[in-house]
Amino acid sequence: MLLVDDDAMVRTGLSMILGSTGDITVVGEAGDGDEAVAKVTAHAPDVVLMDIRMRRMDGLAATAAVTALPRPPKVLVLTTFDLDQYVFDALGAGASGFLLKECSPQEIIDAVRVVGAGEAMLSPRATKKLIGHFVSAQSNPRRHRAMTGLGTLTEREREIVTAVAQGKPNSVIAAELHLSEATVKTHITRIFAKINAANRVQLTIFAYEAGLVVP
């Protein structure tokens, strides 16, 4: 994985935390977005832990750049709540989730493992606060696009989108809706295609914008 933060001490601390696990390898560090894009190209990491506020290219632009690559890494955004708008945009640009800077070392490790395994990192408490706050302030065009997408979904698909937005894993969704996990996964894949979402985070944003989940 690649660590991106303009604070060298933060990068050192994160490297020590993640390097102690035995199953996570830090292949490089970057101090700004330009350097991050160059090192992603050079090292092809599976996961990038991306700060938002940096000199030159910021984390939002860097996230958009690396997720547009032919073999993009998964991006975890580092944030505090005063940077919520940037995080919202980063998630929309293809980031797989976000971490609060005050989270514990174990939460950082768990998040990197989850994202590295191909899943989106959703913290129900933080995600609801973050997305709910900004979706409630979004302009009509975003809400209109979400409502148009909502019209393409079946009732069952709407139930699944709502459950995903509530932070429920596939196993719980399957049990509650009396479906197999494989069927839930198939539904989610179809939903992604219908609403042009790349991951569960974008699906959650859609659920708030479409009014399936109320902030």
Side-chain angles (χ1 to χ4, degrees):
M1 73 166 301
L2 180 71
L3 301 176
V4 184
D5 197 293
D6 62 355
D7 188 324
M9 292 189 66
V10 170
R11 296 198 306 270
T12 297
L14 289 171
S15 183
M16 291 177 62
I17 290 169
L18 295 166
S20 69
T21 63
D23 63 329
I24 299 173
T25 301
V26 178
V27 299
E29 300 178 11
D32 59 51
D34 287 327
E35 189 179 2
V37 175
K39 291 200 172 181
V40 166
T41 303
H43 299 294
D46 295 320
V47 178
V48 176
L49 195 54
M50 183 80 75
D51 191 18
I52 288 290
R53 186 176 292 174
M54 296 181 292
R55 295 166 301 200
R56 299 197 297 174
M57 183 188 293
D58 65 18
L60 176 59
T63 295
V66 301
T67 55
L69 294 172
R71 296 180 60 187
K74 304 296 184 182
V75 177
L76 268 174
V77 175
L78 284 168
T79 184
T80 55
F81 276 132
D82 64 341
L83 298 177
D84 283 352
Q85 180 64 66
Y86 291 102
V87 178
F88 186 82
D89 290 341
L91 296 177
S96 294
F98 68 93
L99 289 173
L100 302 180
K101 284 197 170 182
E102 65 265 28
C103 67
S104 70
Q106 189 58 53
E107 287 174 321
I108 296 173
I109 292 168
D110 291 343
V112 170
R113 285 172 174 160
V114 168
V115 169
E119 296 293 331
M121 179 60 196
L122 290 172
S123 167
R125 177 188 64 84
T127 300
K128 287 176 182 178
K129 181 175 181 180
L130 169 69
I131 297 176
H133 174 71
F134 276 95
V135 168
S136 65
Q138 291 305 304
S139 61
N140 289 333
R142 289 192 68 99
R143 178 60 61 87
H144 177 73
R145 286 194 296 271
M147 294 304 296
T148 299
L150 184 63
T152 70
L153 303 182
T154 66
E155 186 60 36
R156 176 64 81 193
E157 288 169 342
R158 294 184 184 196
E159 291 176 334
I160 291 174
V161 170
T162 301
V164 169
Q166 292 170 341
K168 297 176 181 177
N170 288 353
S171 57
V172 172
I173 297 172
E176 290 183 349
L177 299 181
H178 306 290
L179 301 170
S180 69
E181 285 192 53
T183 299
V184 171
K185 290 179 181 178
T186 298
H187 277 300
I188 291 175
T189 299
R190 290 174 180 168
I191 294 166
F192 283 166
K194 285 185 176 183
I195 67 172
N196 193 31
N199 54 46
R200 294 170 82 98
V201 178
Q202 292 185 359
L203 200 63
T204 300
I205 293 172
F206 167 83
Y208 277 90
E209 288 178 332
L212 290 175
V213 179
V214 179

